[in-house]
Amino acid sequence: MKTGLVGSMIVLGAASLTASAEEFSWGNVVVQPRAYVGYADYSLESGDMTYVRQNAPPQTRPLQFDAYNNSKIDFNGPIFGLGATVAVDRFFGDVYYQSTLNETAYSGSERLDGSRPPPVIFNLGDVNAQHSDWALSLGYRMTDQWSVFAGYKSGKTDWDQSMRVNVVPPISMLIQDGKFAVNFDQDGPFVGTSYSFLMGPGALTVKAAYAYLDGSYKSSFDSRVLGAGGNYIPLVQQFDWDGTSNAFSFGVSWTQSVTNNLGYSVGANYHHYQFDASGSKQFTTTFGNQIADQGILEGGNLTEDLFTLTASLLYTF
């Protein structure tokens, strides 16, 4: 999300910097902006956790991400990014931002419940999700081919879903409409290394990184219920969850010059995040000004994965 753990924080592989190494000297600054497009495959899945309610036995199950009771958000589609690298001698800094489009993880549906008069039509909207992230890093080329780097990254995933119940005439105490809105954010420091194999006109670069991130999961369901008196009463459920992630990233890329200043890079990256909740968290459902449901969630984890294939165009000033 909340992704791209390493992204392009090491100068898109050492090839372009190595090719211009003879130009570097203290006081000479080289700037290398880039733009890239590609394909992203993203998933976020909940592990089991324990729900503890008053006057009810504990229940073990994963988080429910939407009105379909799915415990996994899974989508794929294009990803776009911008970045820039600044280098002086063997030192370099890098920044990037990338994002998917707002993709449909689950398509909406309509279901007729004719088991009771009057018939009830449940309209569940699409579950639309988007992931984006950015990173800032500083690095040092230990040799012309080997680099180390460290920095800070932040990522987030957002999704939502509308829900409406159509009844003619309306039935009291039945949810008339509602909306799920969820976001999962993570941020924190990372360290990594890369190595480039110089091959003919370009270089093949492999890289790996580790991050320790703080994360938060926030979910809300806002709706309204038709009361017996004909007035609508808000029904709201909220849940906030936090914890930490151990995150790993692995990538490979090919970088090659086209002209003295223009170059391109193609690469593949895989990112894996294991988020573990810290302690117990409370969830609350309110009906008007009254608490309708309340309980505690104990333990739990989320697993986030992102795989990207990208093609970059870079220019060296």
Side-chain angles (χ1 to χ4, degrees), residues 3 11 17 19 54 61 75 98 138 181 190 216 254 294 312:
T3 199
V11 215
L17 288 182
Q54 291 183 349
R61 63 175 176 82
F75 64 90
Q98 65 181 12
L138 297 174
F190 63 81
S216 66
W254 171 261
Q294 194 172 41
S312 307

Side-chain angles (χ1 to χ4, degrees), residues 134-205:
W134 62 269
L136 176 66
S137 64
L138 297 174
Y140 183 78
R141 291 191 303 125
M142 306 296 290
T143 69
D144 286 346
Q145 294 168 274
W146 174 36
S147 296
V148 293
F149 49 84
Y152 183 90
K153 82 170 298 287
S154 178
K156 68 174 182 175
T157 305
D158 302 284
W159 66 94
D160 56 44
Q161 180 188 27
S162 62
M163 172 183 174
R164 178 175 292 275
V165 180
N166 295 325
V167 187
V168 181
I171 301 175
S172 88
M173 301 309 295
L174 186 68
I175 294 176
Q176 299 297 296
D177 62 318
K179 182 177 182 178
F180 284 91
V182 188
N183 63 76
F184 178 51
D185 299 326
Q186 297 191 89
D187 56 72
F190 63 81
V191 294
T193 186
S194 71
Y195 192 87
S196 294
F197 300 89
L198 303 182
M199 303 169 64
L204 181 69
T205 301

Side-chain angles (χ1 to χ4, degrees), residues 1-316:
M1 41 50 217
K2 290 202 268 88
T3 199
L5 175 59
V6 184
S8 47
M9 54 199 153
I10 57 112
V11 215
L12 290 167
S16 56
L17 288 182
T18 303
S20 304
E22 66 274 9
E23 301 175 7
F24 293 172
S25 63
W26 292 110
N28 291 335
V29 178
V30 174
V31 180
Q32 188 183 78
R34 64 185 178 275
Y36 57 96
V37 297
Y39 167 84
D41 191 325
Y42 176 88
S43 70
L44 177 68
E45 186 170 9
S46 172
D48 286 338
M49 58 201 68
T50 303
Y51 289 72
V52 182
R53 287 184 168 92
Q54 291 183 349
N55 304 318
Q59 182 184 24
T60 299
R61 63 175 176 82
L63 283 176
Q64 295 176 347
F65 288 158
D66 53 41
Y68 294 111
N69 296 330
N70 289 308
S71 59
K72 183 177 182 178
I73 294 293
D74 192 359
F75 64 90
N76 55 68
I79 190 169
F80 303 89
L82 293 171
T85 299
V86 178
V88 178
D89 196 24
R90 291 187 175 274
F91 294 91
F92 61 87
D94 188 86
V95 62
Y96 81 88
Y97 171 83
Q98 65 181 12
S99 177
T100 69
L101 299 177
N102 196 31
E103 302 286 355
T104 299
Y106 297 100
S107 298
S109 65
E110 182 176 279
R111 180 171 60 88
L112 173 65
D113 182 358
S115 62
R116 53 185 175 179
V120 179
I121 300 175
F122 293 90
N123 287 295
L124 302 181
D126 294 343
V127 179
N128 294 315
Q130 184 174 19
H131 176 81
S132 62
D133 63 86
W134 62 269
L136 176 66
S137 64
L138 297 174
Y140 183 78
R141 291 191 303 125
M142 306 296 290
T143 69
D144 286 346
Q145 294 168 274
W146 174 36
S147 296
V148 293
F149 49 84
Y152 183 90
K153 82 170 298 287
S154 178
K156 68 174 182 175
T157 305
D158 302 284
W159 66 94
D160 56 44
Q161 180 188 27
S162 62
M163 172 183 174
R164 178 175 292 275
V165 180
N166 295 325
V167 187
V168 181
I171 301 175
S172 88
M173 301 309 295
L174 186 68
I175 294 176
Q176 299 297 296
D177 62 318
K179 182 177 182 178
F180 284 91
V182 188
N183 63 76
F184 178 51
D185 299 326
Q186 297 191 89
D187 56 72
F190 63 81
V191 294
T193 186
S194 71
Y195 192 87
S196 294
F197 300 89
L198 303 182
M199 303 169 64
L204 181 69
T205 301
V206 292
K207 54 192 175 183
Y210 167 77
Y212 185 75
L213 309 176
D214 292 322
S216 66
Y217 174 95
K218 297 182 179 180
S219 172
S220 67
F221 176 67
D222 293 305
S223 62
R224 59 178 188 159
V225 172
L226 182 63
N231 59 316
Y232 286 98
I233 304 171
L235 177 66
V236 178
Q237 184 180 69
Q238 293 182 324
F239 172 58
D240 293 345
W241 202 36
D242 54 34
T244 57
S245 283
N246 287 294
F248 302 89
S249 176
F250 306 94
V252 59
S253 62
W254 171 261
T255 307
Q256 183 174 332
S257 297
V258 177
T259 67
N260 289 336
N261 299 97
L262 186 66
Y264 73 89
S265 179
V266 292
N269 288 276
Y270 172 69
H271 317 273
H272 176 80
Y273 306 77
Q274 186 64 48
F275 173 85
D276 294 306
S278 55
S280 300
K281 298 298 175 182
Q282 185 178 70
F283 64 89
T284 303
T285 302
T286 58
F287 181 58
N289 296 322
Q290 305 294 321
I291 295 178
D293 188 22
Q294 194 172 41
I296 297 293
L297 273 70
E298 298 178 342
N301 60 80
L302 300 174
T303 301
E304 187 176 38
D305 291 286
L306 176 68
F307 174 74
T308 61
L309 294 171
T310 57
S312 307
L313 191 65
L314 51 126
Y315 190 89
T316 303

